[in-house]
Amino acid sequence: MTNSTPLPTMPTEASIDTAKLAQLCKASADPLRLDILRVLRDGSFGVMELCKIFNVKQSGMSHHLKVMATSGLLETRKEGNSIFYRRTVNLEQHALKPLIDTLFQSVDQTVLPESIQTRLTETYQERAQVSHQFFEKNAARFRAQQDLIASWKDYGTNAANLLGDIEQPTKTLAVEFGPGTGEMLIELANRYQSVVGIDTSEEMLAQAQQSIQGLDNVELRHGDASELFHQPVSVADPHQPKANLVTCNMVLHHVPAPEKLIESAANILAPQGLLLITELCAHDQKWAREHCGDLWMGFEQDDIDRWAHSFKLVPASTQYLALRNGFQIQVLIYRKDTQ
């Protein structure tokens, strides 16, 4: 007597296309591509930047990027006339998500060769130099340039009010990365015992200094945020160097690696401290890069949320403000998670 019971089959929705699986495996089966994935953990890069970092000709690099993008490992974003590559962010609907997640986690544990790390650092420095040169030449008219997009009065009061709505029992120290002409420093000086403003541009710090005259609880520092805060804070208790608040006020689109600035903020925040970000939403107005020194044409909130989450910062409040000329500003507040 034969058994006519059919063999069990996997549900259709759980099936995996073996051709796509083979394509993904092939795309990742190359040491150079794995190093590219490792570099792209920390941000987005253009083709020519990646060519320099890896010392590979453009034709070869374009081929590798195409293979990885076709397999679902990479995606592109447009910044003006340039195309930037990054690791695929939204994998929730991808049938191979568990495998890709595991691959990314494994790649992140690898160590880049020293030569690649050196050229990566040089790439960030070149980006920073572009921004620095702009502010050197335009510091005196920065406010007028910035007003082409958004002036302080368009969003500053809203940002300060949103911050005031969040309970914060300790207000010992606030730090602002990129204080610009100093308007936010004045707001913070009225709310926090001590305030430190950090900027890479001496010219912009001179502008901020004019705004904070008479405020004896504000200190300005010249240099990189990730390095300077390891120094004692003269206007604060040196035994309590952690900040209760860090603000990045319209600054992410000017820095070479926005996610690294958020990491620096997370590193100096005290437990339950707040990170306030005011930033342009993603836009397509290329003139802003030339006239306002922007390196990035705004950001999607999902990207900022993802960076914040990776450094244990959880959303606390969000507000959107519509501006002239089709621009929109997002006001985002995150709290440092102690878990």
Side-chain angles (χ1 to χ4, degrees):
M1 184 174 179
T2 59
N3 188 348
S4 60
T5 303
L7 294 173
T9 58
M10 292 290 289
T12 303
E13 61 269 21
S15 63
I16 293 177
D17 187 326
T18 53
K20 291 183 178 179
L21 177 59
Q23 185 180 50
L24 176 63
C25 292
K26 180 180 179 180
S28 59
D30 183 288
L32 173 60
R33 293 173 191 169
L34 293 177
D35 282 343
I36 292 172
L37 287 177
R38 173 63 180 80
V39 165
L40 293 178
R41 181 195 72 172
D42 295 327
S44 304
F45 293 87
V47 175
M48 297 310 298
E49 288 180 325
L50 291 171
C51 286
K52 177 179 179 180
I53 292 169
F54 291 97
N55 195 24
V56 173
K57 292 183 178 179
Q58 183 178 356
S59 58
M61 179 58 67
S62 296
H63 170 72
H64 287 297
L65 295 174
K66 181 179 180 180
V67 170
M68 289 191 288
T70 302
S71 71
L73 292 173
L74 302 184
E75 61 186 15
T76 60
R77 58 178 290 185
K78 194 170 184 180
E79 293 285 341
N81 295 322
S82 301
I83 301 296
F84 283 76
Y85 285 84
R86 67 180 182 183
R87 298 198 318 201
T88 300
V89 174
N90 186 7
L91 291 167
E92 295 307 317
Q93 304 303 317
H94 200 295
L96 299 175
K97 179 182 185 303
L99 180 58
I100 296 177
D101 284 342
T102 300
L103 174 63
F104 286 169
Q105 291 169 11
S106 299
V107 164
D108 291 346
Q109 296 176 35
T110 64
V111 178
L112 288 171
E114 185 177 347
S115 58
I116 294 177
Q117 185 61 60
T118 298
R119 292 192 291 268
L120 175 61
T121 300
E122 291 172 350
T123 299
Y124 282 131
Q125 291 172 342
E126 288 173 2
R127 288 182 181 178
Q129 185 63 22
V130 170
S131 181
H132 181 67
Q133 289 175 348
F134 174 86
F135 286 108
E136 276 189 330
K137 296 177 181 178
N138 296 279
R141 52 178 180 164
F142 173 76
R143 184 171 295 172
Q145 297 280 62
Q146 192 65 40
D147 284 353
L148 294 172
I149 298 176
S151 62
W152 168 256
K153 68 179 184 297
D154 291 326
Y155 61 87
T157 300
N158 293 74
N161 290 342
L162 197 63
L163 182 63
D165 290 339
I166 298 179
E167 182 178 354
Q168 202 174 11
T170 304
K171 296 186 177 182
T172 303
L173 176 63
V175 177
E176 179 166 23
F177 294 164
T181 50
E183 291 92 341
M184 179 62 85
L185 292 174
I186 298 172
E187 287 282 348
L188 298 179
N190 294 325
R191 299 165 184 260
Y192 291 81
Q193 179 181 329
S194 301
V195 179
V196 175
I198 301 174
D199 205 307
T200 58
S201 168
E202 290 182 332
E203 291 78 9
M204 292 308 303
L205 286 175
Q207 293 282 313
Q209 186 64 54
Q210 294 295 318
S211 298
I212 63 170
Q213 288 185 3
L215 298 176
D216 58 5
N217 65 333
V218 181
E219 176 186 345
L220 298 179
R221 293 184 175 183
H222 173 245
D224 182 78
S226 63
E227 299 174 356
L228 281 181
F229 206 77
H230 294 300
Q231 304 171 13
V233 182
S234 61
V235 296
D237 179 356
H239 301 294
Q240 275 207 322
K242 291 293 187 179
N244 307 114
L245 171 74
V246 175
T247 71
C248 299
N249 179 41
M250 297 293 285
V251 69
L252 290 185
H253 58 272
H254 289 302
V255 299
E259 64 283 356
K260 289 187 176 297
L261 193 66
I262 293 176
E263 180 181 17
S264 294
N267 286 340
I268 67 173
L269 275 175
Q272 297 299 313
L274 301 178
L275 170 62
L276 168 64
I277 294 175
T278 60
E279 187 51 63
L280 292 173
C281 297
H283 62 85
D284 59 0
Q285 302 201 47
K286 302 174 185 177
W287 62 268
R289 303 189 75 180
E290 177 181 349
H291 290 85
C292 301
D294 296 5
L295 293 179
W296 307 101
M297 296 172 63
F299 302 93
E300 299 289 349
Q301 183 185 337
D302 285 349
D303 286 333
I304 300 177
D305 282 348
R306 177 168 49 83
W307 294 329
H309 175 75
S310 66
F311 304 121
K312 297 184 178 181
L313 299 169
V314 297
S317 187
T318 301
Q319 185 178 84
Y320 282 86
L321 305 172
L323 303 173
R324 68 178 79 85
N325 299 328
F327 290 100
Q328 189 175 36
I329 282 183
Q330 50 196 320
V331 183
L332 310 173
I333 299 179
Y334 301 90
R335 189 184 295 277
K336 186 168 184 178
D337 192 358
T338 57
Q339 300 300 318

